[in-house]
Amino acid sequence: MKHSFTFLSFVAAFVLLSIGVQSQVTRGTGVITNHETGIELPRVVKSNLTMPESFHIMGHQSRDAIDNKGTEFWLLMERNYDTYVDGLYLDITSDVSTNGNVSIPGLSFTMDFTTTPGQITRITLPNEAQVNTSETIENKGIHVVAEDEVTVYGLSLKAYTSDCFLALPLDILSSQYLVMSYPNLVWNPISDGTLGQFAVVSPYDNNTITITPTCATYYGVAAGNQITVTLDRGETYQLRTAYNSDPLTDFTGSIVQSTLPVALFSGNSCASIPTNYSACDIILEQIPPVSTWGNNFVTYPLEGRENGDTWRILSSQNNNNVYVNDVLTATLDFGDFYEFILDEPAKINSSKPVLVMQFSNGDDFDPGLANNGDPFMMLIPPEEQFMDSYTFATPSSGFAYNYVTITIPTEGISTLMLDGSPVSPSWFTSIGNTGFSAAGIELSVGSHTINNTANIPFGIYSYGFNGYDSYGYAGGLSLEFIYEGSAPVITRTTATVNACQQNHADDEDLVIEVDVVDAQEPYTQAVYMYYESPPGNGYQMVEMDYVAGDTWTYSMTHDMTFDPGVNFYFTATDGQLYSSDPLIDPSNNPYSMAVLPNELPVISHDPVYAADYDTDLLISCQVTDETDYPEMVELNYRTHGGNPVFNSVEMSEVGKGVYAASIPGSSINENGTDYYISARDNFGVSARFPIEEEYVKLNQGVGIAENHVEAAQVTVAPNPFTQETSIAIEMKESGKLMVELYDVTGKKIRMLKDTEMEAGVHHFTLRKGTLPEGIYLLKVKAANAIGSQKLIIR
């Protein structure tokens, strides 16, 4: 049931962190003025940073994992108020019983775990896992792997200063982020424990991180100056603010870029919210990639509070209009944010994607309530990332009061189920004219399920309070790329592919061509080639010329290329999204051409198109190099549709010119596997196999292994989603049901269903007006064999 109450009083003598200088404050509905710090809310804060040309909001990527559940995670624990905490924990839940492992390689820590549906499995981490330093590489990455998908929550627990975060899986990680943080505690400016901070962990070796902070760092790097650091797998790097940072500024809007995906965590080791209201508390969240931000949000006040909550809206682009309840409240540029107080339900809309964070205010902001909790920082997913079912959990201990906020289209309340029971419509409050309603519901400690039987998407946010303590995080979210339109797709033309296999004279001009396809507005605006010759000489950028159709070209004169060769890659933009070719870390995985007298290595290999699941697969090839010798031969592989980064393993020479390595069985499953072979000579020029394609498609349509279940495809035309559309799927066996929507280019538009289902006929409805006119493909993957499912669309 819905609650509003006063917390029990706790003995004030124990509340060390709650003692602070009381500010003179003028406060009205939604407006506060802090005369001591000079901060007035609402306010717009400029980042004073310009979007880098290299800040590519990637929109072209194929993957199956599209929510916060996953089978692999890389995490870290940020600094709490001091270097000792009462406990660092991971709470893990799952929809099915499964096994997994948590490890911290840098601390030689490892622990196996088993999950049971409906229960929380708690992993206690060593206190040393906390990242305490600033601007120092530490080896404290936390690695979680599981046989089946799990949901993972991180908890940093210390008396009177705790918070949790919802972990995001490896598949969704990005190389482009903006930071959300909060200012230093003003009344205690000399404490290490009250500083803004953010940190990254790298899942990959040789990952170059470039950071541009919006305020001074602990060791004196000025705002706007870049920090570059290279991390290996499992290494972490944290930035903390300077002691006496201006209370009007913090790390919010700082830029994080990397050559390979990283996980970003952000917050403050003990923030007072609003600034200088006691008591302080650690705030932390894992920040989602910019490509998953949205435009439409519905908000609801926290239970147990009187005077409202602090909100921040961070802009991903310039000229971004932000509306609260249909009133234009701010126009933000890249990295700017709008901060304000809301004490009633509202809707937030923006003309371009934003990140929205809800902050619980300090205890003293609600003087009429006793010890009713302190600051936390809680990610608010946009409507575009709502799902129709969630499994989530409260912390297994440490908090007296636990809640879930639900924001849902009003029509969906009658079909909403919490832990298998209907949710009472009387608990909900309508949110203006949005068509949405919301409720705050008190929860028991443990794992919970919430779903809508009519498949109407909704949002949930989980939080809780104790005496001078609190936590908050999104209960779950989809992580689709939700930018309108599509990114340009770059492909080398046949002529350029062939040219990459030839050896060119040093007095020869080279013509480089690519085809760039952009299926939706806005269309391709510019295509760039980056080249270096000789390899290692540093990349130079040139703009390619549009020819006709989809083709772009650039002519390299002979005085631009030198023995032993040239490395190059491409980027393209439609003004909103960027793409590259190669897709991931192109500067370290470029295409090559050899310039005589150097000659390319030659790779001979018989492709493997079918293999047994969960069994290591040996791959061998022959490599010859007429000029000198191959310095490195690598096997590159990944699970199809998952994380786009290829894993690389050096192939060993097992005979004269014969090289071999294995794809591990863990990467060979029902999703299929992508692989390719690369050979780099001792001059830094590389050849690849296959030549015509990007990679070999293992277990993907050619010689499929017997236990592979194909997806049924149904063409839907011209567009059923402009009216109510009913879909019925019959499953002959119980198991996992996955229903996905694709456009005609093969781009995944939406995950409609991804859950365990009982045998039988299952119905769900797609709501009116959710997609533009067009032709779509509906893909169904079910536990039963091909042909045993029945699909009806009407």
Side-chain angles (χ1 to χ4, degrees):
M1 56 185 295
K2 187 176 179 181
H3 290 269
S4 179
F5 59 89
T6 301
F7 278 94
L8 297 175
S9 296
F10 286 80
V11 180
F14 292 121
V15 193
L16 173 64
L17 297 179
S18 70
I19 303 172
V21 178
Q22 194 70 27
S23 302
Q24 294 182 356
V25 174
T26 302
R27 178 171 56 205
T29 302
V31 178
I32 66 167
T33 301
N34 189 313
H35 301 297
E36 179 179 303
T37 65
I39 291 179
E40 297 182 357
L41 298 184
R43 63 175 179 147
V44 170
V45 178
K46 298 289 186 180
S47 74
N48 297 316
L49 301 181
T50 301
M51 179 187 288
E53 289 185 2
S54 58
F55 196 85
H56 296 169
I57 301 172
M58 300 300 294
H60 175 58
Q61 182 176 334
S62 173
R63 60 201 169 85
D64 287 337
I66 50 80
D67 59 20
N68 57 278
K69 299 176 185 177
T71 58
E72 184 174 10
F73 301 77
W74 275 98
L75 313 171
L76 61 81
M77 288 292 184
E78 285 191 278
R79 162 75 185 263
N80 205 310
Y81 179 76
D82 60 27
T83 57
Y84 178 80
V85 292
D86 297 333
L88 299 175
Y89 305 103
L90 297 181
D91 284 347
I92 304 174
T93 67
S94 62
D95 295 328
V96 298
S97 296
T98 194
N99 301 307
N101 175 265
V102 175
S103 63
I104 308 175
L107 299 179
S108 299
F109 171 87
T110 183
M111 181 176 292
D112 293 331
F113 67 84
T114 299
T115 63
T116 301
Q119 298 181 17
I120 301 170
T121 298
R122 171 162 282 192
I123 304 296
T124 301
L125 304 175
N127 189 74
E128 295 76 20
Q130 184 172 255
V131 181
N132 292 316
T133 61
S134 181
E135 296 145 276
T136 302
I137 296 175
E138 298 189 66
N139 197 1
K140 293 186 177 180
I142 303 165
H143 193 203
V144 181
V145 293
E147 295 176 3
D148 302 281
E149 286 194 335
V150 295
T151 300
V152 180
Y153 305 92
L155 170 61
S156 179
L157 182 63
K158 184 175 178 62
Y160 315 117
T161 170
S162 305
D163 202 3
C164 298
F165 63 84
L166 173 69
L168 306 181
L170 179 67
D171 286 351
I172 190 57
L173 300 185
S174 173
S175 57
Q176 309 287 350
Y177 292 95
L178 290 176
V179 172
M180 178 78 81
S181 183
Y182 209 78
N184 293 355
L185 184 61
V186 178
W187 55 261
N188 193 3
I190 61 171
S191 172
D192 243 3
T194 60
L195 303 180
Q197 59 193 16
F198 65 92
V200 296
V201 56
S202 175
Y204 307 102
D205 288 334
N206 194 31
N207 195 352
T208 301
I209 320 297
T210 302
I211 298 169
T212 310
T214 51
C215 68
T217 71
Y218 190 90
Y219 286 113
V221 177
N225 288 356
Q226 286 191 343
I227 300 170
T228 300
V229 61
T230 298
L231 302 182
D232 284 333
R233 187 173 187 260
E235 290 185 334
T236 59
Y237 190 78
Q238 181 171 256
L239 264 74
R240 312 191 75 215
T241 52
Y243 277 136
N244 296 312
S245 291
D246 184 345
L248 292 172
T249 65
D250 58 81
F251 277 142
T252 300
S254 297
I255 303 169
V256 177
Q257 301 176 92
S258 54
T259 54
L260 293 165
V262 295
L264 171 67
F265 298 79
S266 186
N268 187 303
S269 55
C270 204
S272 282
I273 304 176
T275 301
N276 232 35
Y277 278 88
S278 62
C280 79
D281 206 337
I282 184 176
I283 60 171
L284 61 92
E285 278 282 21
Q286 183 169 358
I287 304 298
V290 176
S291 52
T292 66
W293 296 8
N295 302 76
N296 304 293
F297 302 80
V298 286
T299 76
Y300 193 72
L302 299 172
E303 292 295 309
R305 308 311 301 267
E306 286 184 335
N307 294 319
D309 316 309
T310 297
W311 292 78
R312 281 190 169 190
I313 301 172
L314 176 61
S315 176
S316 66
Q317 297 180 36
N318 292 334
N319 300 314
N320 194 353
N321 292 328
V322 175
Y323 301 84
V324 178
N325 292 330
D326 297 321
V327 176
L328 178 63
T329 57
T331 298
L332 306 177
D333 286 334
F334 171 79
D336 297 348
F337 69 89
Y338 177 59
E339 183 178 0
F340 60 110
I341 302 290
L342 272 178
D343 57 3
E344 59 185 17
K347 67 175 180 177
I348 297 171
N349 307 100
S350 59
S351 58
K352 298 175 182 178
V354 295
L355 180 70
V356 174
M357 204 73 72
Q358 184 175 12
F359 295 83
S360 172
N361 290 323
D363 181 79
D364 282 358
F365 194 73
D366 288 328
L369 303 176
N371 306 340
N372 65 328
D374 264 349
F376 62 72
M377 170 172 152
M378 185 166 70
L379 173 69
I380 303 299
E383 293 175 31
E384 296 93 330
Q385 301 288 27
F386 285 179
M387 300 189 297
D388 62 12
S389 63
Y390 301 85
T391 299
F392 68 103
T394 71
S396 58
S397 62
F399 297 91
Y401 303 96
N402 300 278
Y403 298 94
V404 61
T405 289
I406 304 169
T407 55
I408 186 170
T410 304
E411 65 192 65
I413 296 175
S414 61
T415 49
L416 190 64
M417 307 288 286
L418 175 61
D419 295 331
S421 299
V423 176
S424 173
S426 65
W427 298 347
F428 285 82
T429 300
S430 61
I431 303 178
N433 61 355
T434 63
F436 279 81
S437 294
I441 301 173
E442 187 172 9
L443 298 171
S444 59
V445 172
S447 181
H448 300 274
T449 60
I450 186 167
N451 67 288
N452 190 281
T453 58
N455 302 104
I456 295 174
F458 58 97
I460 67 168
Y461 323 98
S462 181
Y463 58 95
F465 299 109
N466 210 2
Y468 289 107
D469 209 352
S470 62
Y471 74 90
Y473 49 78
L477 72 160
S478 168
L479 290 163
E480 292 279 14
F481 294 125
I482 56 176
Y483 276 80
E484 295 180 359
S486 60
V489 178
I490 309 168
T491 307
R492 291 175 298 160
T493 64
T494 300
T496 297
V497 170
N498 291 336
C500 287
Q501 309 309 312
Q502 299 170 10
N503 304 307
H504 300 273
D506 60 1
D507 60 353
E508 178 182 346
D509 294 344
L510 298 176
V511 177
I512 310 295
E513 291 181 337
V514 291
D515 286 334
V516 182
V517 178
D518 197 347
Q520 295 174 278
E521 294 183 4
Y523 299 116
T524 304
Q525 294 183 4
V527 181
Y528 303 95
M529 182 175 73
Y530 295 77
Y531 75 94
E532 61 172 3
S533 183
N537 198 43
Y539 284 101
Q540 300 183 60
M541 183 189 76
V542 293
E543 186 168 358
M544 303 187 75
D545 299 316
Y546 175 69
V547 179
D550 298 322
T551 303
W552 298 69
T553 186
Y554 187 81
S555 295
M556 299 185 70
T557 58
H558 67 273
D559 58 351
M560 299 172 66
T561 61
F562 305 92
D563 170 47
V566 54
N567 290 339
F568 59 96
Y569 65 92
F570 310 96
T571 65
T573 180
D574 60 8
Q576 174 176 276
L577 298 176
Y578 284 79
S579 58
S580 66
D581 181 38
L583 178 64
I584 297 296
D585 195 15
S587 63
N588 288 320
N589 295 281
Y591 298 115
S592 289
M593 290 183 182
V595 175
L596 294 168
N598 186 41
E599 297 183 22
L600 276 172
V602 177
I603 305 171
S604 300
H605 171 66
D606 292 326
V608 181
Y609 293 112
D612 294 332
Y613 295 164
D614 302 315
T615 302
D616 291 355
L617 175 65
L618 183 68
I619 299 293
S620 63
C621 65
Q622 179 88 34
V623 180
T624 58
D625 190 339
E626 296 298 330
T627 308
D628 209 339
Y629 62 92
E631 186 174 72
M632 174 77 74
V633 181
E634 286 185 326
L635 174 63
N636 305 273
Y637 63 89
R638 69 183 182 188
T639 299
H640 181 74
N643 192 287
V645 177
F646 281 88
N647 299 287
S648 298
V649 58
E650 184 175 355
M651 302 182 78
S652 301
E653 189 170 13
V654 296
K656 185 173 177 56
V658 178
Y659 295 80
S662 292
I663 301 176
S666 58
S667 294
I668 304 175
N669 51 48
E670 65 274 9
N671 294 316
T673 306
D674 309 325
Y675 79 87
Y676 70 92
I677 299 169
S678 60
R680 186 179 70 245
D681 69 15
N682 54 309
F683 300 112
V685 178
S686 298
R688 295 187 182 208
F689 181 94
I691 296 171
E692 296 83 4
E693 303 291 336
E694 184 180 357
Y695 44 77
V696 177
K697 299 177 178 64
L698 171 64
N699 289 349
Q700 296 172 68
V702 182
I704 296 296
E706 289 184 0
N707 58 340
H708 180 75
V709 179
E710 287 193 1
Q713 289 195 4
V714 178
T715 301
V716 181
N719 179 18
F721 307 117
T722 55
Q723 55 187 355
E724 296 293 325
T725 300
S726 298
I727 295 178
I729 298 175
E730 181 179 10
M731 294 182 62
K732 297 296 186 183
E733 303 173 10
S734 298
K736 192 165 190 177
L737 174 65
M738 184 180 295
V739 183
E740 304 166 307
L741 191 69
Y742 289 75
D743 67 14
V744 292
T745 70
K747 176 186 175 183
K748 185 189 292 185
I749 301 299
R750 191 164 298 171
M751 175 72 76
L752 302 177
K753 178 67 67 174
D754 181 13
T755 188
E756 295 290 322
M757 304 291 286
E758 299 294 328
V761 179
H762 302 281
H763 300 268
F764 59 97
T765 301
L766 297 176
R767 290 199 301 151
K768 177 179 178 180
T770 57
L771 289 169
E773 290 288 342
I775 298 175
Y776 296 88
L777 298 177
L778 198 64
K779 285 189 176 183
V780 179
K781 295 180 183 179
N784 46 309
I786 299 169
S788 61
Q789 65 250 22
K790 180 172 64 177
L791 183 63
I792 303 171
I793 300 179
R794 59 181 181 269

